[in-house]
Amino acid sequence: EVQLVESGGGLVQPGGSLRLSCAASGFNFTPYSMNWVRQAPGKGLEWVAYIGIGSSTIYYADSVKGRFTISRDDARNSLHLQMNSLRDEDTAVYFCARDRAWAFDVWGQGTMVTVSS
Amino acid sequence: QSALTQPVSVSGSPGQSITISCTGTSSDVGAYDYVSWYQLHPGKAPRLMIYAVTDRPSGISNRFSGSKSGNTASLTITGLQPEDEADYYCSSYRNTSPLNWVFGGGTKLTVL
């Protein structure tokens, strides 16, 4: 079964850091680009970051650029999101999502990040 | 405010058809055939329903179809079923600097 499972969410104070992980299984991870997408409570979806095959290209949303870093470990079939200088507005469920034809064809169930003092 | 505009809610009775619109600009929806649609049920992983404007992934019912005209894309669901009740989001690739993807604000579909 094709599956993505996120982990690493939790409660963190403003200005703090958190590292999210996404474990992929059931498919060959290496030839796929990957993304992080988030959904704040009561809000819509927001694309956060993209990483291409072999980490060749990386893009960030303006809202997280300079604070978040996306990375991948193809040997371990995993995707990561290092989040620094966290703000209240970063509170959201974070999903990892596989890229297919400029769409997101497989999603995890998400991990909740709460930024609060 | 979301980059793409969707109606907040739509509703229909079982068996009926509904259409959800998604309006963008000439930099996203109107520029590329990279519009996709997602179904969200609370507590579950989002599900891709339509990609590349009109294509259905394997396993998605042919009751779901997509189209586009100018800067507006649409998702049509025919033969509404109770399990179709969910939130639906459109998305489009946007070739700007930085390159990114944009979403609509979401539409709550209620099956009466």
Side-chain angles (χ1 to χ4, degrees):
Chain A
E1 179 190 4
V2 173
Q3 197 171 11
L4 297 172
V5 178
E6 302 91 340
S7 61
L11 174 63
V12 61
Q13 293 186 336
S17 298
L18 214 54
R19 185 177 190 245
L20 306 184
S21 296
C22 170
S25 60
F27 67 99
N28 185 0
F29 181 75
T30 301
Y32 284 94
S33 299
M34 298 293 296
N35 297 268
W36 287 97
V37 178
R38 68 185 180 184
Q39 184 176 30
K43 303 292 186 181
L45 296 171
E46 179 189 17
W47 171 78
V48 173
Y50 163 98
I51 186 165
I53 298 169
S55 305
S56 56
T57 48
I58 289 176
Y59 305 113
Y60 297 98
D62 283 345
S63 57
V64 307
K65 196 168 187 178
R67 301 186 298 121
F68 289 12
T69 302
I70 188 172
S71 63
R72 63 189 295 161
D73 183 343
D74 289 346
R76 291 179 170 79
N77 295 333
S78 62
L79 176 72
H80 304 282
L81 186 68
Q82 177 66 43
M83 304 186 296
N84 298 331
S85 303
L86 283 162
R87 306 167 179 167
D88 290 350
E89 56 264 34
D90 295 319
T91 294
V93 175
Y94 285 74
F95 300 98
C96 62
R98 191 176 77 173
D99 185 275
R100 173 190 177 183
W102 307 106
F104 311 110
D105 74 329
V106 179
W107 298 64
Q109 291 203 316
T111 186
M112 182 71 203
V113 172
T114 303
V115 184
S116 175
S117 54
Chain B
Q1 188 170 350
S2 300
L4 307 179
T5 301
Q6 298 180 233
V8 172
S9 63
V10 298
S11 62
S13 300
Q16 289 186 333
S17 298
I18 63 94
T19 296
I20 300 172
S21 62
C22 170
T23 301
T25 69
S26 57
S27 295
D28 39 64
V29 174
Y32 307 97
D33 287 339
Y34 293 143
V35 177
S36 51
W37 290 90
Y38 303 89
Q39 179 189 67
L40 273 71
H41 283 116
K44 296 182 69 174
R47 187 181 186 190
L48 174 66
M49 308 303 287
I50 296 287
Y51 69 99
V53 180
T54 60
D55 294 348
R56 276 188 310 275
S58 174
I60 300 301
S61 169
N62 60 9
R63 297 187 298 106
F64 293 82
S65 63
S67 63
K68 189 184 84 166
S69 177
N71 295 338
T72 298
S74 298
L75 173 71
T76 297
I77 309 174
T78 59
L80 274 177
Q81 298 180 0
E83 58 265 33
D84 297 334
E85 184 164 298
D87 293 328
Y88 291 85
Y89 288 82
C90 63
S91 179
S92 175
Y93 170 79
R94 172 185 279 181
N95 188 7
T96 56
S97 180
L99 187 147
N100 65 71
W101 286 257
V102 289
F103 284 94
T107 298
K108 171 65 178 177
L109 168 62
T110 301
V111 180
L112 303 169

